[in-house]
Amino acid sequence: MSDSYLRLIPTDNRWQPDPGAAAAAASYVTRLFSGPQDDVEEVETEFYDVVTLVDAGENTTRISCPDCDGDIEIDWFLDLVEETGETFGTLDVEVPCCGSVVALDSLRYDWPVGFARFEICVMNPVRAEYELDSAELAEVARLLGHPVAQILAHY
Ligand SMILES: [Zn+2]
């Protein structure tokens, strides 16, 4: 049986909330998923020292280059992630398609991934639609103190 995750990250990949704001945002998210039909298993906050990949698991199947439009092998990306242990001092890499140096967060992913130093991670959220709507995202952003993006992951 596979697991799904909703991962909420600041849109600025270096930004971190203070711990109180992180806890307030996490408890708001927990309340969103605590209706009678819901059986969310866990809501966690994570702080990362270094910019860290917030991946989408099996959801990401294609990557292409913003410079030359060429396809980038998913294996190239996975190897890179394994080599760096998912942490990145810089997001700039030389891509294999055309040799350009581009930021990892500017590559085009068929399913969004993120890079961040903080995330709220919801394990196995169950709603009719488990993506947060724009009002809910705005409330998370207000509590956290920074705009957020959501990454939907499947493992
Ligand atoms: Zn290229």
Side-chain angles (χ1 to χ4, degrees):
M1 155 130 188
S2 66
D3 288 315
S4 60
Y5 292 82
L6 171 64
R7 313 177 76 179
L8 297 163
I9 59 170
T11 53
D12 175 338
N13 59 41
R14 301 201 166 269
W15 189 86
Q16 289 186 306
D18 64 52
S27 87
Y28 169 71
V29 172
T30 303
R31 286 200 303 281
L32 288 181
F33 290 99
S34 54
Q37 295 300 309
D38 293 335
D39 188 23
V40 61
E41 292 182 23
E42 239 174 339
V43 176
E44 286 185 337
T45 56
E46 299 274 2
F47 288 82
Y48 303 112
D49 290 338
V50 186
V51 176
T52 296
L53 171 67
V54 176
D55 71 37
E58 293 162 7
N59 285 343
T60 304
T61 58
R62 289 193 60 179
I63 303 173
S64 62
C65 174
D67 245 35
C68 75
D69 267 339
D71 282 338
I72 294 174
E73 294 277 330
I74 191 98
D75 285 342
W76 172 85
F77 181 71
L78 296 176
D79 287 348
L80 177 74
V81 166
E82 192 172 306
E83 217 169 275
T84 61
E86 302 195 350
T87 62
F88 301 92
T90 170
L91 291 177
D92 290 341
V93 291
E94 191 181 316
V95 286
C97 42
C98 59
S100 290
V101 174
V102 300
L104 284 170
D105 60 357
S106 71
L107 298 181
R108 293 199 291 258
Y109 302 87
D110 65 339
W111 191 282
V113 303
F115 297 87
R117 293 182 61 218
F118 172 77
E119 71 168 304
I120 297 172
C121 186
V122 184
M123 184 182 180
N124 291 331
V126 182
R127 294 205 302 186
E129 287 180 37
Y130 64 88
E131 301 94 335
L132 270 56
D133 65 27
S134 56
E136 292 165 344
L137 279 176
E139 181 61 7
V140 174
R142 190 186 67 78
L143 291 165
L144 211 56
H146 197 282
V148 293
Q150 56 185 336
I151 310 292
L152 303 176
H154 223 96
Y155 300 95

